[in-house]
Amino acid sequence: MAVYLPKEKIAEIFAEHAGSATNTGSTEGQIALFTYRIQELSNHLQRHRKDHGSRKALLSLVGQRRRHLAYLQRKDLEGYRALIAKLGIRK
């Protein structure tokens, strides 16, 4: 898990999307956390264009989120559609 995120923020994300703050293994909560981290890294890279380490981390997070979304789409299509609408992810 990301060290730079406070535990309260992580708990808030999981409580909102996974049902409870302790349900950290849920696919929906993990996708929401990836989305938050992607947004934060995107903002960082707009200010620091030459930070290639963060760029690599961003691409890794996007790939992980895409794999989790594909899994959710296979297992629960309605939940997948609701989650991408709630998070504002285009697919």
Side-chain angles (χ1 to χ4, degrees):
M1 200 62 50
V3 176
Y4 57 90
L5 284 177
K7 289 181 182 178
E8 295 82 20
K9 183 63 179 174
I10 293 172
E12 174 187 326
I13 290 171
F14 279 107
E16 182 179 346
H17 296 284
S20 73
T22 59
N23 190 7
T24 58
S26 74
T27 307
E28 294 88 354
Q30 290 182 22
I31 292 170
L33 183 62
F34 287 144
T35 301
Y36 177 79
R37 290 176 64 195
I38 287 169
Q39 290 169 349
E40 292 297 312
L41 271 176
S42 295
N43 293 338
H44 170 79
L45 285 171
Q46 286 176 355
R47 293 186 308 270
H48 307 283
R49 295 188 187 277
K50 295 186 179 183
D51 188 358
H52 297 296
S54 292
R55 188 173 311 278
K56 182 173 171 68
L58 175 65
L59 291 175
S60 172
L61 284 173
V62 169
Q64 285 181 333
R65 182 179 71 178
R66 196 176 80 219
R67 288 190 298 272
H68 277 76
L69 282 168
Y71 170 80
L72 185 62
Q73 186 177 16
R74 282 193 317 267
K75 296 296 180 185
D76 181 17
L77 187 60
E78 291 304 315
Y80 165 80
R81 289 179 179 157
L83 184 66
I84 62 171
K86 188 174 184 180
L87 294 175
I89 300 173
R90 59 181 174 93
K91 183 74 178 173

